Amino acid sequence: MSDDDSNLLRPVGGTEFSWCKAVPVGTGITVLALSLSKPPDISYLQNTLHRFQTSQPILNSYIHFNPTTKSFSYIRRPNPDLQIQPFDLQSTAQILHELQKDPQNDAVTPFQLILEHELNRNSWRDPNDDANVFFASLYYLSEAQWVLALRLHTSVCDRAAAAALLRGLLREMSGGGERERGFEGNGEVSLGIEEIIPKGKANKPFWVRGVDMVGYSLNSFRLSNLEFVEPNSPRQSRVVRLQMNSFHTENLLTGCTSRGIKVCAALAAAGLIAAHSSKKLPQDHKEKYAVVTLTDCRSILEPPLSNNNLGFYHSAILNTHDVTGRDTLWELATKSYKSYANAKNSNKHFTDMSDLNFLMCKAIENPSLTPSSAMRTAFMSVFEDPIIDQTDELQQEICLEDYIGCASAHGVGPSIAVFDTIRGGSLDCTMVYPSPLHSREQIQDLIDRMKNILVDACVSVDV
């Protein structure tokens, strides 16, 4: 099919192009996994997803690569054709049996193993194949547990859009769809983020852009990383969770508010301190780490968008931080948040967008540009704001026991990608990492250190 076909939605934008390059190597597969204690009505669920595809046509598209122009486009399917792929008890057991052969998976729950399995099902490995952007599967774990997994190309569904999709799906599954259809769109596809940045916000003199590009490139070799366990083997994305109870979460949020910072800064600071301490370095030994902070730009674009506008509308700011063994959580969190806020106030989330996209693509094409050819662009990525989940009643109605939403990160990206949600007043962070570049034992140790640092700091929230 040619790019000028009548079903062409639009060519991909610059940020979307970087995701089209990243997903084939393993970064940018968004998954929503729902653990259910009763089986969903597959027919009703499939009709619901088809309706979503009709009102949100980008969900009913595939990504087409033009080898002549080396460009990508979203092409609309004539009709919604998503089919939920069912895995019966025997098929699911076979998948779990293969995954459990890995000793690192001994203590991992079947639900999380299915999530990781979906994160590594790459339908977009070959850019020449016209693969849909949206897939759904239903796994039969036992007589009392099913897992519904939605898998999407990140270029059409960032974290904010995935959260909106989840809310819309929960309403439909609970029978509330007729009362409140908040997710469905207007049948149109929004432009790429670069085309709706407010006028003048992305301007950067040519010579400044050149200096920044050189700076980003040179600094990458001066940055510290977690130790790489196995840099040469094929990689996959794995997950470790950091969960805090409502008491500690409330104290953490209070501590952030009292200091005029956000929880992302506390998470990043805890990660930096934990990384330094995990290496058992002298306290005064200084290391420089990079943190990428992602911010949802929908509300500040022209025209403004809602979370129901599917696509990738986040931008990134990369900051570096010097860390020693004497740093405390609140001091480092305040310092790191100030660096991020200053950069955002200077519009670096817009002015540096094309630079970071270019470097991301260069790291994919030339892994040797990164330490140990690991394609690690930062130690950690965090989101400026957590997802606030207020769907407890809907979850109870449909017997939703647990859910996780995140994206793969084993191609180009950070060593730890943090997807944080506050559910029922409790912080729940999904940490995605590349394996076996890092081991589950190594990351679990780091997460345990992070949690201890956060909990200890929450004992007292005085400024």
Side-chain angles (χ1 to χ4, degrees), residues 324-432:
T324 72
R326 299 189 184 279
D327 285 308
T328 64
L329 178 82
W330 293 121
E331 289 174 346
L332 185 56
T334 301
K335 182 172 65 175
S336 66
Y337 186 75
K338 183 178 180 180
S339 296
Y340 165 74
N342 288 340
K344 187 177 179 182
N345 289 337
S346 299
N347 293 317
K348 286 184 74 69
H349 53 311
F350 289 142
T351 61
D352 288 14
M353 187 180 293
S354 61
D355 300 347
L356 293 176
N357 288 337
F358 175 80
L359 292 172
M360 181 176 175
C361 291
K362 283 300 177 185
I364 294 168
E365 297 166 1
N366 304 279
S368 61
L369 294 176
T370 62
S372 302
S373 297
M375 288 200 288
R376 295 307 98 194
T377 54
F379 160 63
M380 177 182 281
S381 68
V382 294
F383 288 89
E384 180 181 10
D385 296 299
I387 296 293
I388 307 297
D389 182 353
Q390 299 176 322
T391 61
D392 289 356
E393 291 185 8
L394 295 180
Q395 293 178 37
Q396 292 174 12
E397 288 182 33
I398 67 170
C399 298
L400 178 64
E401 301 296 321
D402 194 8
Y403 73 87
I404 298 177
C406 58
S408 64
H410 59 274
V412 65
S415 285
I416 301 176
V418 181
F419 297 83
D420 55 330
T421 303
I422 296 178
R423 297 196 275 180
S426 298
L427 181 66
D428 186 353
C429 298
T430 301
M431 316 294 224
V432 183

Side-chain angles (χ1 to χ4, degrees), residues 37-277:
S37 59
K38 74 173 183 179
D41 182 330
I42 293 184
S43 177
Y44 178 78
L45 183 58
Q46 189 156 282
N47 288 337
T48 295
L49 296 178
H50 283 176
R51 191 167 64 251
F52 286 175
Q53 287 185 297
T54 299
S55 66
Q56 302 269 9
I58 202 163
L59 286 180
N60 189 40
S61 68
Y62 62 89
I63 296 177
H64 175 69
F65 176 65
N66 186 322
T68 302
T69 61
K70 306 296 183 184
S71 62
F72 295 89
S73 298
Y74 298 118
I75 308 292
R76 185 175 188 170
R77 295 285 186 190
N79 298 295
D81 66 350
L82 182 145
Q83 299 294 314
I84 298 174
Q85 184 177 11
F87 293 88
D88 61 17
L89 191 59
Q90 181 178 2
S91 300
T92 303
Q94 289 175 344
I95 292 170
L96 291 173
H97 176 70
E98 290 300 314
L99 295 172
Q100 289 165 341
K101 287 181 179 178
D102 188 334
Q104 290 197 58
N105 293 338
D106 284 346
V108 183
T109 66
F111 170 54
Q112 185 171 318
L113 287 177
I114 292 297
L115 166 74
E116 293 180 359
H117 174 66
E118 283 286 319
L119 285 172
N120 296 291
R121 293 184 72 190
N122 196 340
S123 302
W124 305 279
R125 196 176 302 279
D126 185 353
N128 293 303
D129 291 342
D130 291 341
N132 290 347
V133 301
F134 187 20
F135 298 88
S137 302
L138 182 65
Y139 295 86
Y140 189 170
L141 290 185
S142 71
E143 295 292 344
Q145 188 180 19
W146 292 260
V147 176
L148 173 65
L150 305 183
R151 180 164 46 94
L152 303 101
H153 195 285
T154 294
S155 72
V156 306
C157 189
D158 59 15
R159 189 182 68 146
L165 174 59
L166 175 63
R167 287 191 296 270
L169 185 63
L170 293 182
R171 283 195 294 268
E172 292 287 346
M173 292 175 68
S174 69
E178 294 302 324
R179 299 192 306 268
E180 183 181 8
R181 293 193 187 279
F183 172 72
E184 295 190 9
N186 56 10
E188 298 180 355
V189 175
S190 301
L191 297 173
I193 186 172
E194 291 83 1
E195 296 185 68
I196 48 178
I197 293 174
K199 188 175 181 180
K201 293 288 188 179
N203 293 347
K204 180 192 280 192
F206 178 79
W207 67 271
V208 174
R209 189 173 301 280
V211 169
D212 285 350
M213 291 284 283
V214 172
Y216 280 133
S217 300
L218 293 178
N219 282 337
S220 66
F221 284 98
R222 300 170 184 162
L223 296 174
S224 298
N225 291 281
L226 288 181
E227 292 182 5
F228 299 139
V229 176
E230 179 49 76
N232 299 316
S233 299
R235 294 173 199 154
Q236 57 184 309
S237 286
R238 283 181 166 159
V239 167
V240 172
R241 293 174 84 172
L242 186 162
Q243 295 172 303
M244 293 174 60
N245 63 34
S246 57
F247 173 76
H248 290 137
T249 299
E250 182 179 1
N251 282 352
L252 175 64
L253 296 176
T254 299
C256 290
T257 301
S258 67
R259 291 167 173 82
I261 65 176
K262 294 188 177 183
V263 70
C264 63
L267 291 172
L272 296 173
I273 294 171
H276 190 281
S277 69

